[in-house]
Amino acid sequence: MKTILQAINVNKTFGTKGNIYTALQHINLSIEEGEFVGIMGPSGAGKSTLLNIFSTIDTPTSGEITIDGQNIVTMNEEKLSDFRRNKLGFIFQDYNLLDTLTVKENILLPLALSKVPAAEIEVRVNEIADMFGIRPILDKYPYHISGGQKQRAAASRAIVANPSLILADEPTGALDSKSATSLLESLSTLNESNRSTIMMVTHDAYAASYCKRVIFINDGQLFKELHKQDLTRKEFFQQILEVLSSLGGGHHDAV
């Protein structure tokens, strides 16, 4: 199986001598192609720092990180910019859609920037819009659609260029439970049918129960790992809750 992400002894500190805060220490993990991995932990545990480093927004203080076989730690800013565009897909809590563009134009933007032929863009956008159930709103503007529709549009934009790794940062954080479930089911379908590799940071056990594997971080260190394997989603949800309880937080009412 192909390894998409490999982190070796990653450390991250902030501050200067005498006032140093250690955000991550001795992080070793790998994500294989086709995995749907959740990252969980209490507030301040290091989840966001880890995501920022993997997404190339920030750099580690020490350690190695390879994504799809490329060392992102040694890249200069120009190469990182190309790498982000070609290899990574991002789904943010706040959508990050451009209000001056229609939903369709927002989705196709990564393809247009990569100079993909117009005919291919049309096919790709329609396929993904169907997968996320947003074909009827392609010609609408973001301010005319619901939060759930915005997030599905943002997810469509994240995957339209077939990235090696999709990074989702609290993607259900601003959604009601129905919209959250719809998005999570779409991501799960995408993972199963396209073998898309997804890493999702979340504080929500319900969202994490859609993952195949959940990695828990506490005080900047890897704390525990759960594998769904043959468990039902409800059983996996309960296991996640138990670990979160031992860490001191995280719940969701519905399963």
Side-chain angles (χ1 to χ4, degrees), residues 84-237:
R84 270 184 226 114
R85 188 172 67 243
N86 297 325
K87 296 292 185 179
L88 302 178
F90 299 97
I91 307 174
F92 303 99
Q93 182 175 329
D94 57 0
Y95 321 128
N96 283 10
L97 297 174
L98 299 173
D99 277 339
T100 54
L101 301 181
T102 64
V103 169
K104 182 177 182 178
E105 289 165 343
N106 268 284
I107 294 170
L108 65 77
L109 194 57
L111 299 180
L113 291 172
S114 297
K115 297 181 171 57
V116 173
E120 186 180 339
I121 287 176
E122 191 74 19
V123 170
R124 296 260 282 277
V125 170
N126 287 334
E127 281 177 357
I128 284 163
D130 286 341
M131 185 179 294
F132 281 91
I134 55 171
R135 179 82 84 104
I137 62 164
L138 283 179
D139 293 327
K140 294 187 175 182
Y141 288 87
Y143 48 83
H144 286 145
I145 62 178
S146 71
Q149 290 170 325
K150 286 178 185 176
Q151 192 56 295
R152 292 203 296 278
S156 299
R157 180 189 56 195
I159 66 168
V160 74
N162 293 324
S164 300
L165 178 64
I166 297 164
L167 296 163
D169 185 11
E170 301 281 6
T172 62
L175 303 180
D176 60 64
S177 58
K178 184 178 178 183
S179 297
T181 297
S182 177
L183 176 71
L184 291 163
E185 287 177 349
S186 295
L187 289 176
S188 185
T189 299
L190 177 72
N191 170 250
E192 293 289 344
S193 59
N194 287 29
R195 284 188 55 73
S196 295
T197 309
I198 305 170
M199 187 186 104
M200 176 174 70
V201 169
T202 182
H203 69 281
D204 187 356
Y206 176 72
S209 70
Y210 280 83
C211 299
K212 292 177 179 174
R213 177 163 63 114
V214 179
I215 297 168
F216 297 86
I217 297 181
N218 193 33
D219 295 330
Q221 300 181 70
L222 298 185
F223 174 75
K224 192 178 178 69
E225 194 172 293
L226 292 179
H227 294 258
K228 185 178 181 185
Q229 295 179 316
D230 297 327
L231 296 175
T232 65
R233 196 170 57 74
K234 191 165 186 174
E235 289 168 339
F236 196 41
F237 173 72

Side-chain angles (χ1 to χ4, degrees), residues 19-38:
N19 188 26
I20 291 176
Y21 168 68
T22 301
L24 296 173
Q25 49 185 322
H26 309 307
I27 299 292
N28 292 283
L29 67 85
S30 61
I31 296 176
E32 307 299 320
E33 185 175 35
E35 279 203 282
F36 187 175
V37 177

